[in-house]
């Protein structure tokens, strides 16, 4: 009996779903709840990186969900909430970061690298020494060598 109780207790302690918290928020309207779901799906978890805060179980995602709810309760608009999150966590929290000089470098850098490589290859190919023209005597010698090869 003791052994069975101990096994049951160990089983409960080892299951992480027992300790999982479920966010429960009360919204004043269905539209507000839809806006909350949309916002939490559109904000990226800083820890998980490719999960939204709605899908993440990280503590920071839970804090961000709570803050989104609080800001919505205060009557802030969708853009104000996104601006708050960007100010606090950086542009990374949005799946569509704005175009800035640093993001332009990320997008245009590989393209400029390929174009620069093409220019270097073109210029090097253009500078290759041309094959020297054979003099009359060299052409006769070449013709003689070729004729000897064909006879063999």
């Amino acid at each position: 009996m003791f052994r069975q109780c101990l096994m049951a207790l160990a089983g409960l302690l080892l299951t992480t779903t027992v300790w999982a918290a479920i966010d429960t928020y009360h919204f004043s309207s269905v539209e507000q709840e839809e806006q909350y779901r949309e916002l939490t799906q559109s904000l990226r978890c800083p820890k998980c990186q490719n999960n939204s805060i709605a899908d993440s179980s990280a503590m920071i995602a839970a804090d961000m969900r709570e803050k989104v709810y609080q800001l919505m309760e205060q009557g802030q608009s969708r853009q104000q909430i996104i601006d708050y999150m960007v100010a606090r966590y950086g542009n990374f929290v949005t799946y569509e970061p704005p175009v800035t000089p640093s993001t332009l470098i990320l997008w245009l850098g590989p393209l400029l690298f390929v174009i620069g490589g093409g220019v270097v290859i073109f210029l090097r190919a253009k500078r290759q020494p041309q094959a020297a023209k054979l003099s009359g005597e060299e052409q006769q010698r070449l013709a003689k060598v070729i004729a000897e090869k064909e006879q063999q």
Side-chain angles (χ1 to χ4, degrees):
M1 177 74 175
F2 177 72
R3 187 174 185 188
Q4 290 174 343
C5 287
L6 188 60
M7 293 295 281
L9 182 63
L12 284 174
L13 290 175
L14 293 176
T15 56
T16 56
T17 55
V18 172
W19 305 107
I22 298 173
D23 295 334
T24 53
Y25 299 114
H26 301 287
F27 298 97
S28 59
S29 67
V30 174
E31 292 83 20
Q32 189 181 27
E33 183 176 357
E34 287 175 9
Q35 181 184 12
Y36 172 81
R37 292 192 192 291
E38 180 187 318
L39 269 168
T40 56
Q41 284 293 332
S42 67
L43 294 171
R44 186 184 323 205
C45 176
K47 182 176 181 182
C48 304
Q49 297 188 358
N50 285 328
N51 286 351
S52 67
I53 62 172
D55 298 332
S56 175
S57 61
M59 290 294 292
I60 191 166
D63 292 343
M64 291 173 76
R65 287 190 300 266
E66 176 68 29
K67 192 62 179 179
V68 167
Y69 178 74
Q70 288 173 0
L71 293 172
M72 286 180 68
E73 287 295 306
Q74 293 172 6
Q76 294 195 16
S77 70
R78 179 183 195 282
Q79 192 57 49
Q80 288 173 320
I81 294 170
I82 290 173
D83 291 343
Y84 173 85
M85 292 296 179
V86 167
R88 180 151 185 176
Y89 299 104
N91 286 326
F92 180 79
V93 296
T94 60
Y95 281 106
E96 297 172 9
V99 178
T100 62
S102 60
T103 56
L104 279 177
I105 290 171
L106 290 174
W107 285 103
L108 296 178
L111 178 65
L112 293 175
F113 184 75
V114 169
I115 291 172
V119 168
V120 167
I121 290 171
F122 177 75
L123 292 176
R124 290 194 68 169
K126 200 172 180 181
R127 267 194 251 154
Q128 294 273 337
Q130 301 275 336
K133 303 241 177 200
L134 298 176
S135 66
E137 182 183 317
E138 290 171 331
Q139 286 178 352
Q140 288 174 356
R141 260 188 3 192
L142 179 60
K144 184 178 174 185
V145 169
I146 291 173
E148 287 174 3
K149 288 282 186 188
E150 287 177 355
Q151 288 178 359
Q152 293 177 357

